[in-house]
Amino acid sequence: MARKQNEKIVSLEEFQEKIDRDEKIEPKDSMPEAYRKTLIRQIGQHAHSEVVGMLPEGNWITRAPTLRRKLSLLAKVQDEAGHGLYLYCAAETLGKSRMEMNQELLSGKAKYSSIFNYPTPTWADIGAIGWLVDGAAIMNQIPLCRCSYGPYARAMIRICKEESFHQRQGYEIMLTLARGTKAQKEMAQRALNRWWWPSVMMFGPSDADSPNTENSVKWKIKRYTNDELRQKFVDAIVPQAEKIGLTVPDKDLKWDKKRNNGQGGYAYGEINWDEFWRVVRGDGPMNNERISAKQKAWNEGSWVRAAAHAHALKKQTALQAAE
Amino acid sequence: MVSEEKESILWEVFIQPKNGLSHRHCGSIHAPDREMAILSARNVYSRRGEGQSIWVVKSIDIVSSDPDEKEETFSSDDKIYRHPTFYDVPDDVGHM
């Protein structure tokens, strides 16, 4: 719902007490400006990621190997569009207009998840995306269902309900290829090799280099730090890879019984942060293609929006004349 | 290109899961008119048979109370006689 500017200023202490009592914050409640800004940035980036995330997969809709796969992929991509819209709607409740967010995406000012700046050269990449990228997204999104900001938490609940089909369809693709011919298994392994590190990087910079984390945790926007989520992801995925006979491309990967407070977890190798920052700053393999595709879609859709607007006006005029 | 276009109308979406339950707010969408609002609401909020009826209402037409005046608007702590436990009834009367 559109936000009405609230004049009353809440003190930081009062606000923190409310958060500590696990009360949700709703659009018209008073909130510190920094809380509002953090959420607008985070929800906006999240929405853009869903929308740009349609592109690498859309690349394979016309070439899906069977009708069953094509139906699943179409439904998945349509879900991503829906998820983007739930999130834009949540961001709008904080007072930022849809048009403004759209403009920031098209101009390249707004960020979205770097993972979508990698290409999808084979069908196996679609499997790897569903399994790893959606898997990482679910890790990130489940704790967000308990986020302190009501509209964001509610959008995340809807999204998480729909997301698990995405990961399962991806894993099923990988499983099928891994049990197929030698060439198919190799294709699956190469896709895992391409997507593993970018997926591990999806959780963002390590905690020591993540300036936004402290406030976000304090305000219960985030419930876990980047490194905590990354560890959960690695621990979940490694056995899934073993199960289908694929190898996670990390020679330093080994069981470490000290991890997770002594419960054990996987130690993993050094992340290439130079690559991470390079792609964030716009120099990834597909950054330009992604933004160009969005600009093209927006420009080519211009006449549709104009026609819908004209039609609405015409009907409104006819209705008024009849009254 | 973008800035020349006007922001389209914002609609709040309410879905009724089935007869017997009330329509429930589930989010919002942008659309130029009510027919497209219903269509978009269905595409965005009901891809898995979540409902059997959709309402859309222009956000601008919703009037709401101010959360900072919650006390004045909703306080009933001083009217405990509105709750059943205010009244003493012998235990052996049974459930009432």
Side-chain angles (χ1 to χ4, degrees), chain A residues 92 97-103 298 301-302 304-310 312-314 316, chain B residues 1-11 29-33 58 60:
Chain A
E92 278 181 286
S97 80
R98 179 78 56 98
M99 201 58 99
E100 205 180 337
M101 283 187 275
N102 194 34
Q103 197 158 20
W298 178 260
S302 158
V304 179
R305 293 188 300 276
H309 183 67
L313 265 182
K314 194 175 86 181
Q316 200 185 5
Chain B
M1 142 199 94
V2 181
S3 48
E4 287 164 18
E5 282 190 41
K6 272 174 52 188
E7 184 89 15
S8 59
I9 300 167
L10 185 66
W11 306 75
I29 46 114
H30 280 267
D33 61 29
K58 281 184 191 165
I60 205 168

Side-chain angles (χ1 to χ4, degrees), chain A residues 2-9 27-29 31 33 36 94-95, chain B residues 66 68:
Chain A
R3 182 180 69 96
K4 198 189 85 191
Q5 185 63 43
N6 204 317
E7 297 301 328
K8 193 176 155 189
I9 305 296
K28 292 181 74 191
D29 291 344
M31 61 186 88
E33 209 38 43
R36 182 189 304 281
L94 291 156
Chain B
D66 181 347
D68 286 330

Side-chain angles (χ1 to χ4, degrees), chain A residues 1 6 8 28-30 79 82 85-86 89 92 97-99 158 162 165 298-299 305 308 312 315, chain B residues 1-3 5-7 10 12 26-28 30 32-33 35-36 44-45 47-48 64-68:
Chain A
M1 190 184 300
N6 204 317
K8 193 176 155 189
K28 292 181 74 191
D29 291 344
S30 316
D79 272 353
L85 293 175
Y86 304 161
C89 137
E92 278 181 286
S97 80
R98 179 78 56 98
M99 201 58 99
R158 295 187 73 87
E162 300 180 348
F165 123 66
W298 178 260
N299 293 338
R305 293 188 300 276
K315 270 193 314 182
Chain B
M1 142 199 94
V2 181
S3 48
E5 282 190 41
K6 272 174 52 188
E7 184 89 15
L10 185 66
E12 298 301 322
C26 62
S28 64
H30 280 267
D33 61 29
E35 285 79 16
M36 285 196 70
V44 175
Y45 292 103
R47 287 190 299 281
R48 288 173 176 76
S64 67
S65 62
D66 181 347
D68 286 330

Side-chain angles (χ1 to χ4, degrees), chain A residues 259-279:
Chain A
R259 298 237 162 175
N260 297 321
N261 299 319
Q263 292 182 332
Y266 285 94
Y268 48 89
E270 188 66 33
I271 292 167
N272 183 347
W273 293 115
D274 288 342
E275 176 184 329
F276 174 80
W277 289 114
R278 204 168 58 238
V279 184

